[in-house]
Amino acid sequence: MSIGNSPEDERPFEDPSEEAPVSIGRALRQARIDAGLTVGDVSAATRVRVAIVHAIEADDFTPCGGDVYARGHIRTLARAVHLDPAPLIERYDAAHGGRPAPTPAAPLFEAERIRPERRGPNWTAAMVAAIVAVVGFVGFTAFKGGDDGAKEQVAEGATPTAGKAASPTPKTDKPVDRKPEPSDSAIAAAPQDKVTVQVSAVDGRSWVAAKDHNGRLVFDGLLKKGDSKTFQDSEKISLVLGDAGAIDLFVNGKKLNDDFRPGAVERLTYTKGDPQAG
């Protein structure tokens, strides 16, 4: 029989002060309570639905509709309860595999533009060029004629008399190269062989994600009120709108009159034959 400490007594000492970090939902809930706000107050201030606020505070991010909107909701709620969103976003990314790097939209669309395609002649541009050329020729001729007349008068030494006024040289306005004014929508002249979608945040801000026909993410970000983004693809554009009620949509040059509710998350797909919701 041995006398000594049992194996249980030799276990490493556990410091009770080393507690697990507070979860994202608990941190947001405690900050809201400390700020004296209710879930309804936060929902009204952020336009995030009450059900989603409750779910996030319970660390359930499924109703957000994906990682993009989960991050957006976490950031929005954190700011509403006066909490720094950066640590919460980092914690979310660490738990969900990190944030995917979005594909830059500009290089993608630039590649679409320089891709060789067989197109018909641009008659509108040709007509504008012809009109400008004619106006310029007429203006140059009038200016040239007036200049030659002045040279002849100086060469002959003729001076106008008091009783006979010199014939005034007709004044020709300098031709102005009038460019067509831009339309109300950046996609008013959308090509028929592509699908063009414009997203405008007119009634508030909204998170927007856009993918091309290959499923590549071409945009992932927040549109503030007054901001606008245009996406173009040879086959289709797929959208996810975080707050569809704040968005106006223009598809292939036409405005859609969809009655989206404020705070509603909408998933839409448009092709060359639209406008119609996918």
Side-chain angles (χ1 to χ4, degrees), residues 47 202-204 206 241-248 259-264 266:
R47 301 183 71 176
V202 295
D203 294 328
S206 175
L241 307 179
D243 184 356
I247 294 297
D248 274 1
D259 188 15
F260 296 133
R261 294 177 300 163
E266 295 288 343

Side-chain angles (χ1 to χ4, degrees), residues 97 159 242 274-275:
T159 56
D274 288 327

Side-chain angles (χ1 to χ4, degrees), residues 95-124:
H96 293 79
R99 179 173 182 173
T103 302
L108 175 65
F109 296 148
E110 195 66 30
E112 290 288 343
R113 284 197 293 270
I114 65 176
R115 183 180 300 170
E117 295 181 0
R118 303 178 65 181
R119 296 184 179 180
N122 192 337
W123 296 111
T124 302

Side-chain angles (χ1 to χ4, degrees), residues 179-231:
K179 298 181 179 180
E181 297 181 356
S183 61
D184 293 338
S185 169
I187 58 174
Q192 296 182 357
D193 59 342
K194 295 180 183 294
V195 55
T196 306
V197 179
Q198 185 187 60
V199 183
S200 300
V202 295
D203 294 328
R205 59 184 183 177
S206 175
W207 279 90
V208 175
K211 294 183 179 180
D212 63 7
H213 72 280
N214 290 321
R216 291 178 296 182
L217 187 67
V218 298
F219 181 77
D220 170 14
L222 177 67
L223 290 187
K224 298 179 180 179
K225 184 176 182 179
D227 288 351
S228 179
K229 283 285 183 182
T230 301
F231 309 108

Side-chain angles (χ1 to χ4, degrees), residues 22-42:
V22 179
S23 68
I24 297 173
R26 290 182 59 189
L28 290 173
R29 181 176 182 274
Q30 188 60 49
R32 173 179 60 77
I33 294 174
D34 293 342
L37 300 174
T38 66
V39 173
D41 295 334
V42 173

